[in-house]
Amino acid sequence: EVQLVESGGGLVQPGGSLRLSCAASGFTFSNYHMSWVRQAPGKGLEWVSDINSGGGSTGSTSYADSVKGRFTISRDNAKNTLYLQMNSLKPEDTAVYYCAKKTYYSGSYYYDYWGQGTQVTVSS
């Protein structure tokens, strides 16, 4: 059974930092691209960042413009864990953050599994 379990969310002041983790199980983690996606209160889902499966413990990365330069996605394939280091946090980063597994099918990538989410609140 595929499981994605996020942790590390919480309340932080503007300008602060948090590190989110996503523990994966039930599939060969190193073989799959992974993403972080967030949902702010009253808004739809917003893609945050991707990391490719890559070789070793790292893969190529991409970021939404809203977080570029402040957030860093990484993965540790030996620990089956995905990370999101968030620095210089802003109130507009307040959201539930989800990790998601991507799968390739019929020429496109899809999210086939999601975690339960972890709340990040940025407020003074």
Side-chain angles (χ1 to χ4, degrees):
E1 178 190 5
V2 172
Q3 286 194 318
L4 299 170
V5 180
E6 300 96 336
S7 61
L11 174 64
V12 63
Q13 292 187 341
S17 298
L18 282 175
R19 187 197 197 200
L20 305 184
S21 299
C22 172
S25 61
F27 64 103
T28 305
F29 179 71
S30 59
N31 287 353
Y32 290 89
H33 302 340
M34 298 293 295
S35 298
W36 286 100
V37 179
R38 67 186 181 185
Q39 186 167 29
K43 296 189 176 181
L45 293 171
E46 177 190 16
W47 170 75
V48 173
S49 182
D50 277 354
I51 185 166
N52 286 353
S53 56
S57 297
T58 61
S60 62
T61 59
S62 56
Y63 299 91
D65 287 344
S66 58
V67 307
K68 200 172 295 182
R70 300 186 298 119
F71 290 11
T72 303
I73 190 172
S74 63
R75 65 192 298 161
D76 186 334
N77 288 339
K79 295 183 178 179
N80 291 343
T81 303
L82 177 72
Y83 302 101
L84 185 68
Q85 177 66 44
M86 305 186 296
N87 298 330
S88 302
L89 282 161
K90 304 175 181 180
E92 51 264 44
D93 294 317
T94 295
V96 178
Y97 284 73
Y98 300 93
C99 66
K101 172 180 171 288
K102 297 179 77 170
T103 195
Y104 185 79
Y105 178 76
S106 192
S108 299
Y109 281 98
Y110 300 91
Y111 294 123
D112 56 349
Y113 288 95
W114 297 74
Q116 84 288 351
T118 187
Q119 176 70 48
V120 172
T121 302
V122 185
S123 175
S124 55

